[in-house]
Amino acid sequence: MPTRRNFLKQTGAALGYSSLLHSGIPLFAQNSLANQNLSSSVYTGAASLAARAARTRLPYGCAVVPERLNMDMQYTRTIIEQCSILVAENAMKWAAIHPQPNAFNFAGADKLLAFAQAHNMQVRGHNLSWHQALPPWFKMTVNRENAQAILVQHIQTVAGRYAGKLHSWDVVNEAIRVRDGRSDGLRTTPWLELIGENYIDIAFRTARQADLHALLTYNDYGIEYDSPNEERKRAAVLALLRGMRKRKTPIDAVGIQSHLHAGSQADFGRGLKHFLHEVRKLDLQVFITEMDVDDSKLTTDAEQREVAVAAIYQKYFDLMLRDPQVTAALTWGITNRYTWLSHIHPRKDGGQSIALPFDTNYQPSKAFFAMGIAFDRRKVQSVAPALPAKVSNSSAIHVPA
Ligand code: XIL
């Protein structure tokens, strides 16, 4: 634990007027920064999640909304202090980055990249093809004749722009839905219907041509729990991955989204371990890409919910991090203040969703401590890819305009 003196030194530096004056932070933001409670700074530096994960060469980070970096300086500071890898929560999706058939909007994505670069963090790309977040023009414009060319051009343009700058790309997101009834388990997405099942190989091949360095990832959810449905989905994902390997489709990693939930009978363990084992045989890395815990089914008080959520973090990270193939871990946001679960699965009692490592006031939650312990317990990995030279713990905040 840092001493009180160090703590005061840190917060003092953080609040130093002259450094703020030269930091490029708008005045309104500087004022809110000066007023904020910075006690969470005890958990920065060597005690941060990024540093503790980095000991085992694991990048830790979260999904980010780039515009928020200029609006909520506690948000910005927490991300700088805790993360060594970021992903855009929405800014790189089709609807955001390709708003017109012939127009791209890179503002959010560029901003995220510049911010990450200024603070020595890596960035994941999310995503190049998905059945959701398609722009309004998609339905009117895309047909069987032009779908492949439009997909390829999108990937060339977006992956090409960030070539050499990204840790990885979610090339195809959520392509399996066993319930749709196909024998291969593929989801009947617009891409599948317009191009055919080889849209997946096309997307990965195009991504590799556009960016030789990003680790190409297949990303999906609903493959964590020991339920019959998730078991079937795991089998379909594995069949897809094996097929890709057989066809020599370029792929480097599987993203396990890890949207978990508290308060149901379902548990994880056996099925997930078996999945990791099979993925290892295919020589693919595994990323925890979107971890959070949905507490909307829990009826207990906030403190007990926080304990239950943290227990899931603990168990999940302990299980996943035992596997050396797991080479990145991201949560879907950093603070309960902005979790998407508040919108998609709001609590019936009107209470705050407890899902992420920081609470709404930027105090570390029990999930933070659970994750930290899991990082501390992990054996040092010798084969994992190297991290950037240092984890940022700078007190100057750089937010690109
Ligand atoms: C979610 C975002 O968090 C929301 O803000 C948005 O409204 C919908 O998408 N799986 C994914 C993510 O791959 O892109 C999703 O993100 C969450 C589920």
Side-chain angles (χ1 to χ4, degrees):
M1 283 289 258
T3 59
R4 186 174 152 74
R5 193 141 154 246
N6 275 343
F7 169 62
L8 289 175
K9 221 162 93 192
Q10 277 175 15
T11 53
L15 293 171
Y17 182 69
S18 65
S19 68
L20 281 178
L21 206 61
H22 297 113
S23 65
I25 302 171
L27 202 59
F28 74 90
Q30 293 185 17
N31 288 339
S32 66
L33 184 64
N35 290 333
Q36 75 189 240
N37 174 357
L38 279 175
S39 63
S40 65
S41 300
V42 173
Y43 305 104
T44 64
S48 69
L49 292 174
R52 291 160 82 179
R55 186 190 57 81
T56 75
R57 314 187 74 173
L58 183 80
Y60 163 75
C62 72
V64 170
V65 173
E67 307 84 66
R68 213 168 266 150
L69 295 168
N70 292 99
M71 294 177 339
D72 178 347
M73 297 320 285
Q74 282 184 290
Y75 174 77
T76 310
R77 177 171 295 283
T78 306
I79 289 167
I80 294 169
E81 288 170 348
Q82 300 298 330
C83 298
S84 60
I85 186 165
L86 305 178
V87 62
E89 183 164 349
N90 292 302
M92 288 191 183
K93 293 174 183 172
W94 273 67
I97 211 163
H98 199 164
Q100 301 293 334
N102 298 312
F104 288 83
N105 177 359
F106 298 113
D110 283 0
K111 186 185 175 72
L112 182 67
L113 253 96
F115 174 75
Q117 205 170 19
H119 295 286
N120 208 359
M121 302 185 238
Q122 304 186 80
V123 177
R124 304 197 67 241
H126 175 79
N127 55 56
L128 294 170
S129 66
W130 193 25
H131 61 285
Q132 284 185 34
L134 290 167
W137 58 266
F138 186 91
K139 251 204 170 105
M140 280 112 60
T141 316
V142 187
N143 54 46
R144 280 175 205 269
E145 277 66 55
N146 63 15
Q148 183 169 328
I150 289 174
L151 178 65
V152 166
Q153 190 237 359
H154 175 93
I155 295 175
Q156 285 172 340
T157 308
V158 177
R161 180 178 182 89
Y162 301 112
K165 296 182 176 164
L166 297 183
H167 166 276
S168 50
W169 260 116
D170 290 334
V171 180
V172 173
N173 199 32
E174 304 180 351
I176 297 288
R177 192 171 190 249
V178 177
R179 225 187 317 157
D180 286 356
R182 290 173 54 103
S183 60
D184 56 9
L186 287 183
R187 185 190 289 268
T188 50
T189 74
W191 294 118
L192 181 86
E193 286 176 327
L194 296 171
I195 299 176
E197 63 237 25
N198 61 338
Y199 87 90
I200 297 177
D201 285 9
I202 292 169
F204 276 86
R205 294 218 161 90
T206 311
R208 180 68 100 223
Q209 280 166 7
D211 184 346
L212 288 172
H213 298 283
L215 298 170
L216 304 186
T217 309
Y218 174 73
N219 192 46
D220 215 332
Y221 69 92
I223 49 176
E224 299 86 4
Y225 282 91
D226 280 333
S227 68
N229 281 342
E230 301 213 356
E231 184 52 45
R232 280 192 281 276
K233 185 155 178 177
R234 276 191 290 275
V237 170
L238 285 171
L240 171 68
L241 299 173
R242 289 184 190 122
M244 291 174 75
R245 276 296 194 222
K246 214 179 246 161
R247 298 189 296 276
K248 302 215 182 322
T249 309
I251 176 167
D252 306 295
V254 188
I256 304 182
Q257 290 187 7
S258 315
H259 293 294
L260 306 181
H261 39 85
S264 72
Q265 293 304 313
D267 201 3
F268 53 79
R270 256 170 56 97
L272 190 54
K273 275 190 214 158
H274 177 72
F275 182 78
L276 293 174
H277 181 75
E278 294 300 307
V279 168
R280 208 176 307 144
K281 288 198 217 154
L282 295 171
D283 197 22
L284 295 167
Q285 298 187 42
V286 175
F287 307 143
I288 299 168
T289 51
E290 307 184 11
M291 170 87 184
D292 56 16
V293 177
D294 177 354
D295 77 338
S296 63
K297 294 259 158 58
L298 289 179
T299 50
T300 46
D301 67 34
E303 190 170 340
Q304 280 176 293
R305 285 192 276 125
E306 198 181 329
V307 171
V309 167
I312 293 173
Y313 268 84
Q314 188 80 67
K315 179 171 177 198
Y316 190 72
F317 275 99
D318 275 344
L319 188 159
M320 293 290 286
L321 297 185
R322 226 174 284 146
D323 190 325
Q325 304 282 119
V326 177
T327 47
L330 292 92
T331 47
W332 204 240
I334 192 112
T335 162
N336 295 334
R337 180 180 286 243
Y338 301 126
T339 170
W340 74 305
L341 291 167
S342 299
H343 308 287
I344 188 136
H345 295 150
R347 292 190 51 76
K348 294 216 172 70
D349 61 8
Q352 172 65 49
S353 305
I354 295 177
L356 290 166
F358 282 81
D359 72 13
T360 54
N361 296 315
Y362 295 95
Q363 300 303 306
S365 70
K366 294 192 187 350
F368 169 97
F369 296 103
M371 235 195 296
I373 290 168
F375 292 160
D376 293 347
R377 276 190 202 150
R378 193 184 202 203
K379 279 223 249 18
V380 175
Q381 306 296 315
S382 52
V383 288
L387 286 173
K390 80 170 194 25
V391 170
S392 172
N393 60 358
S394 79
S395 56
I397 297 181
H398 175 80
V399 184

